[in-house]
Amino acid sequence: MGLAFPHGFLFGTATAATQIETASDNAWHGLKAKDGSVLLETIEHEKHREEDADIIASLGNAYRCGPDWPRLQTAPYKPLAKTVVNEYRDFFGRLRDKDVYIMLVLHHFTEPRWFSWEGRDAPEMFRDYASRAMDAFGDLVSFWNTINEPAVYVQTAYLNGNHPPHKRNPLIAYRVLKHLSKGHRLAYRAMKEKRPESQIGISNNTMVFSAEHPLGIIPAGLSQLYFHNYVPDHFTEVDFVGISYYGRISFAPLPLTEIMAPGKLEERGRKHDMMWEYYPQGLTDILRRYWKRYGKPLIITENGCCPVNDDDTYRVVSITGHLRAAHEALSEGIDLRGYFHWSTFDNFEWGLGRSYRFGLYSVDERTFERKPKPSAAFYASIAKNCYLEV
Ligand code: BGC
């Protein structure tokens, strides 16, 4: 018995420049993560492009990634740096030669030092960047994400201060959200004007929020409102809605995550990785919810796990569980177009560090040697056959 996915369904993996390339001139450069690792060389993707393109092509017919904005554009409104454009064009060309569709993310948590979403000119500057990126890469890229997970960006950079610029200011957070939303709209229109056939969307971070204590009802409700309604409603001028899904957060009354309350999920006998509770069935509910609310084609832009001790069996179970949930949504008639596994390689997990391993491939920290984990062959075969054995 098995589950067949539609012909042409996108199966691929996802990364972000800051997490896999050597750190450029941006606010994350040299930051020390929770596990003590320092964001500098990460996994030297820019020096392994040929090999990485082969790996990526073996893992599906699509790849979601982002170019490094700080390297591409060194000042506001400046033409993109030719050598950097060529470096990416060469890499994207390689992927296209292997019939891999590219989804390009323009803003994935990092920006050049000369840019801040707080500034009044930010939306216009972002439009300029997006439109130049379309000129530079539009012939090679089929899908675009203007902004990765605006809700998480605003929360981590401007509400809880965990990510640069490390602010905790709701008024600035509100302004930044408005600028992200306007930047998205301006970019969308400028890009569509250049290439009407390109598919441009947003990627929303989604989790299931639930209350397991009367005092958890309000925080769960507010999180739901913020992540599933308030922020996504700012990004509706899209051709598709991207869904990034990692699990469930229950409020009991404090949030039950491995990051904020280590050991608590274990105490309750709940399956989890180093960050979140395993809750694949929630993905079907999320897909239903976003389909009903926005009525646009959906793409799972990220889903993955960072198992304790990098237990790869957990990863295989997790891929199976989430693809089953995705298939259920398809069978209900929801227009789901693809699934991107996070991530192709073990990489630098932002403020937590490189010991949080999400990859289908491991990367040696000294030699940068890439090695497939068993889950890589498992996922590659699903992607190749558009079929999940259950
Ligand atoms: C982000 C990725 C991150 C992943 C795992 C997503 O929210 O887009 O950059 O590595 O979650 O935490």
Side-chain angles (χ1 to χ4, degrees):
M1 230 257 307
L3 303 174
F5 285 78
H7 182 72
F9 193 78
L10 298 170
F11 269 114
T13 57
T15 61
T18 312
Q19 294 175 272
I20 60 168
E21 291 190 14
T22 300
S24 62
D25 190 25
N26 68 71
W28 283 88
H29 184 112
L31 278 198
K32 195 167 181 183
K34 191 174 158 197
D35 69 2
S37 47
V38 177
L39 200 150
L40 286 171
E41 68 275 290
T42 72
I43 67 160
E44 292 198 335
H45 169 60
E46 77 284 2
K47 295 187 190 155
H48 293 77
R49 291 212 191 268
E50 251 184 86
E51 180 190 356
D52 289 354
D54 288 340
I55 293 174
I56 289 159
S58 74
L59 295 171
N61 61 357
Y63 180 54
R64 176 177 182 261
C65 61
D68 192 16
W69 184 9
R71 281 207 299 135
L72 269 174
Q73 198 177 31
T74 52
Y77 305 111
K78 199 171 162 187
L80 304 187
K82 263 220 170 66
T83 47
V84 187
V85 168
N86 289 340
E87 177 192 321
Y88 282 112
R89 282 196 61 85
D90 182 62
F91 175 59
F92 297 156
R94 248 173 230 287
L95 292 172
R96 290 301 302 128
D97 287 346
K98 295 172 199 292
D99 292 325
V100 174
Y101 291 108
I102 295 162
M103 177 185 283
L104 208 65
V105 186
L106 291 173
H107 183 267
H108 195 130
F109 298 170
T110 23
E111 51 268 328
R113 285 198 202 269
W114 51 260
F115 179 90
S116 162
W117 283 109
E118 294 171 45
R120 202 165 356 128
D121 293 342
E124 190 49 45
M125 288 179 187
F126 185 68
R127 182 205 58 75
D128 171 73
Y129 169 56
S131 138
R132 291 182 192 278
M134 182 58 98
D135 288 340
F137 308 121
D139 57 328
L140 299 168
V141 171
S142 315
F143 301 89
W144 298 78
N145 254 189
T146 51
I147 291 152
N148 178 67
E149 302 179 358
V152 171
Y153 178 74
V154 170
Q155 181 196 31
T156 52
Y158 290 96
L159 286 171
N160 65 26
N162 284 343
H163 289 184
H166 304 290
K167 298 201 175 165
R168 291 175 185 207
N169 184 326
L171 289 178
I172 301 182
Y174 178 76
R175 186 159 81 226
V176 165
L177 176 62
K178 294 291 164 190
H179 288 173
L180 285 163
S181 161
K182 185 166 176 201
H184 162 83
R185 262 194 322 276
L186 295 181
Y188 178 88
R189 289 173 194 169
M191 291 162 85
K192 274 307 231 198
E193 208 176 290
K194 294 195 178 237
R195 281 188 186 264
E197 76 283 8
S198 56
Q199 295 296 298
I200 306 171
I202 189 76
S203 182
N204 292 305
N205 180 280
T206 66
M207 304 280 295
V208 167
F209 299 103
S210 68
E212 292 188 15
H213 185 283
L215 290 177
I217 294 173
I218 290 177
L222 286 177
S223 305
Q224 188 138 313
L225 214 65
Y226 173 79
F227 279 95
H228 297 315
N229 298 6
Y230 181 67
V231 175
D233 281 357
H234 282 78
F235 303 89
T236 52
E237 202 168 323
V238 288
D239 301 315
F240 68 89
V241 175
I243 302 288
S244 143
Y245 179 81
Y246 286 92
R248 172 165 72 173
I249 300 182
S250 296
F251 290 82
L254 291 176
L256 284 180
T257 74
E258 201 48 22
I259 317 167
M260 295 171 86
K264 294 280 181 223
L265 286 163
E266 199 71 30
E267 265 171 31
R268 290 171 161 78
R270 310 274 179 85
K271 209 176 160 102
H272 63 88
D273 65 7
M274 286 169 71
M275 292 170 80
W276 318 109
E277 182 185 352
Y278 178 71
Y279 194 66
Q281 60 272 43
L283 177 58
T284 320
D285 296 334
I286 293 287
L287 293 168
R288 284 186 193 122
R289 173 191 277 264
Y290 278 78
W291 173 240
K292 191 164 163 224
R293 192 167 177 89
Y294 300 108
K296 297 273 171 108
L298 303 176
I299 298 180
I300 298 167
T301 39
E302 285 184 35
N303 168 248
C305 59
C306 53
V308 178
N309 299 323
D310 200 22
D311 170 10
D312 198 52
T313 316
Y314 182 103
R315 188 170 287 106
V316 167
V317 169
S318 170
I319 292 172
T320 309
H322 288 94
L323 284 180
R324 239 178 208 268
H327 193 275
E328 169 112 23
L330 276 168
S331 69
E332 289 172 12
I334 292 174
D335 188 2
L336 176 64
R337 305 265 174 102
Y339 172 93
F340 289 85
H341 188 74
W342 184 273
S343 178
T344 327
F345 315 100
D346 285 343
N347 57 53
F348 204 101
E349 178 53 28
W350 303 109
L352 297 172
R354 58 186 313 162
S355 59
Y356 289 70
R357 300 183 203 282
F358 279 90
L360 294 170
Y361 271 68
S362 66
V363 181
D364 186 282
E365 293 188 11
R366 243 176 354 96
T367 63
F368 300 105
E369 187 193 350
R370 279 85 164 124
K371 272 204 193 130
K373 303 176 190 177
S375 53
F378 175 75
Y379 183 66
S381 135
I382 298 170
K384 183 159 173 251
N385 303 313
C386 265
Y387 192 77
L388 170 71
E389 208 82 57
V390 285

